Amino acid sequence: MICKALLSQGAKVVALVRKESDSEKIKLLTQMRAVVTEVDFNKISDVVKTCKGIDCVVSALAGLADVIIDTQKALLDGAITAGVKRFIPSDFCTDYQLLIPGENRNFDLRRTFRSYIDEKDIQPTSIFNGAFADILKYNTPILNLKNKSVAYWGDKADWKLDFTTMENTAAFTAAVALKDKSQRDLHIASFQISPKMLKGSVEAITGQDFTLQKLSDLYEFSANIKKQRSENPSGEQELYAKWQQAQYMYSMFTTQHPKLDNQNYGAIEWTSEDEYLKSFLK
């Protein structure tokens, strides 16, 4: 999506892919006229060669420490050696800076990489989009279509959650990448909606009654997540272990975007909550 957005905005795009990358995804990149280059991230020389003459590197890597820290470091170091001036790391999440370390394993990996890049001679820009709006389709406690409920933790029934569609995130990322300069941190959201507001919107669209329920206090939720994690050590090797999914929910209810940068990087058609909800609700 990021490559497509960049190309639609007139950029020349070089897509760095790994040997084991999905061939169908590579085919799509080629069809949209991105220059696809296979790179061995264990060879910095490969990264340097590919990044020569590039203005900005956008990382869309996803994984655990070996990817978010190690592979992303290799990408960054190669980019710096090649003379790249700007780097957008693979954050694309809730702003983890206000979270206590340990509250979200996957965000802690991004925090570690942030410390690394901030010491380097390159201009980094993190894009924080809250949660991807797709989460609303998956019958999580926030919106469970099976049992017709909307849930929250603590006293957060009126707490506005930040949701951004993948398409909006990609379009904004492309717009930022094409600028000569940008802020260190940018915050966006297609829409901000509280559990109470979500209940009203879903009921208006479906014509059905939904229950708004408090699941527990936040401190109880945090303690329960820690218990889940300690009882599931194998989850440390899983990107989205159940306790990590719970950590994500906890993060959504403990930090939010007080100010949005939606309008600061060009005209983007931001998807509204009603527009998005109507796309999958019946």
Side-chain angles (χ1 to χ4, degrees):
M1 286 186 184
I2 294 171
C3 287
K4 184 178 180 180
L6 280 164
L7 288 162
S8 72
Q9 294 182 40
K12 177 184 176 182
V13 177
V14 177
L16 281 68
V17 302
R18 289 161 284 191
K19 185 176 183 179
E20 62 273 20
S21 294
D22 187 330
S23 60
E24 286 302 311
K25 291 182 179 179
I26 293 175
K27 183 179 178 181
L28 286 173
L29 290 170
T30 303
Q31 288 175 343
M32 65 175 72
R33 300 188 184 283
V35 178
V36 178
T37 303
E38 186 179 296
V39 171
D40 181 351
F41 286 97
N42 294 312
K43 296 179 181 178
I44 296 297
S45 58
D46 271 18
V47 182
V48 175
K49 181 180 178 180
T50 306
C51 288
K52 285 286 187 182
I54 298 299
D55 297 307
C56 178
V57 167
V58 180
S59 171
L61 293 167
L64 297 176
D66 62 321
V67 176
I68 294 300
I69 298 176
D70 299 337
T71 301
Q72 202 164 207
K73 279 184 177 180
L75 177 59
L76 173 66
D77 292 344
I80 292 172
T81 302
V84 176
K85 295 181 179 179
R86 301 182 58 229
F87 192 102
I88 298 177
S90 186
D91 283 327
F92 306 116
C93 60
T94 295
D95 190 342
Y96 48 76
Q97 295 176 90
L98 299 178
L99 296 173
I100 298 171
E103 288 183 341
N104 189 305
R105 187 273 313 274
N106 288 2
F107 291 177
D108 286 342
L109 299 177
R110 288 161 169 76
R111 192 194 307 269
T112 297
F113 182 75
R114 181 186 181 91
S115 297
Y116 184 79
I117 194 174
D118 280 346
E119 294 178 350
K120 300 298 180 179
D121 185 20
I122 197 168
Q123 182 190 146
T125 297
S126 291
I127 296 174
F128 296 114
N129 60 275
F132 283 117
D134 293 56
I135 196 174
L136 292 169
K137 299 178 180 179
Y138 300 153
N139 291 312
T140 67
I142 294 176
L143 176 58
N144 191 314
L145 299 176
K146 291 182 178 179
N147 62 19
K148 294 183 173 55
S149 66
V150 175
Y152 63 94
W153 289 269
D155 57 352
K156 305 285 189 171
D158 293 305
W159 175 266
K160 287 191 176 181
L161 304 165
D162 300 294
F163 292 103
T164 314
T165 66
M166 289 188 182
E167 291 84 357
N168 281 171
T169 304
F172 184 83
T173 300
V176 172
L178 291 172
K179 297 293 184 182
D180 292 330
K181 294 181 180 180
S182 58
Q183 297 167 222
R184 175 63 182 88
D185 298 316
L186 295 170
H187 300 83
I188 59 173
S190 295
F191 53 90
Q192 296 174 304
I193 191 169
S194 70
K196 189 179 292 184
M197 292 165 62
L198 182 60
K199 175 181 181 293
S201 294
V202 172
E203 287 181 337
I205 293 170
T206 64
Q208 301 174 346
D209 291 330
F210 277 67
T211 302
L212 180 66
Q213 60 182 126
K214 174 180 174 178
L215 296 182
S216 73
D217 286 318
L218 279 168
Y219 74 88
E220 294 173 321
F221 188 25
S222 177
N224 182 258
I225 293 171
K226 290 181 173 65
K227 183 174 182 292
Q228 286 184 49
R229 185 174 185 177
S230 66
E231 293 174 350
N232 181 25
S234 63
E236 301 296 341
Q237 306 307 315
E238 299 174 25
L239 182 55
Y240 298 118
K242 286 189 176 181
W243 53 261
Q244 167 60 37
Q245 295 175 40
Q247 285 185 333
Y248 199 92
M249 297 284 174
Y250 180 83
S251 300
M252 291 174 67
F253 281 88
T254 50
T255 185
Q256 62 185 176
H257 299 164
K259 181 181 177 183
L260 298 180
D261 297 293
N262 286 21
Q263 308 306 322
N264 297 342
Y265 289 86
I268 293 172
E269 294 184 14
W270 296 95
T271 303
S272 69
E273 57 264 37
D274 277 356
E275 184 182 356
Y276 188 76
L277 290 171
K278 286 178 180 177
S279 71
F280 67 93
L281 290 175
K282 296 180 181 179

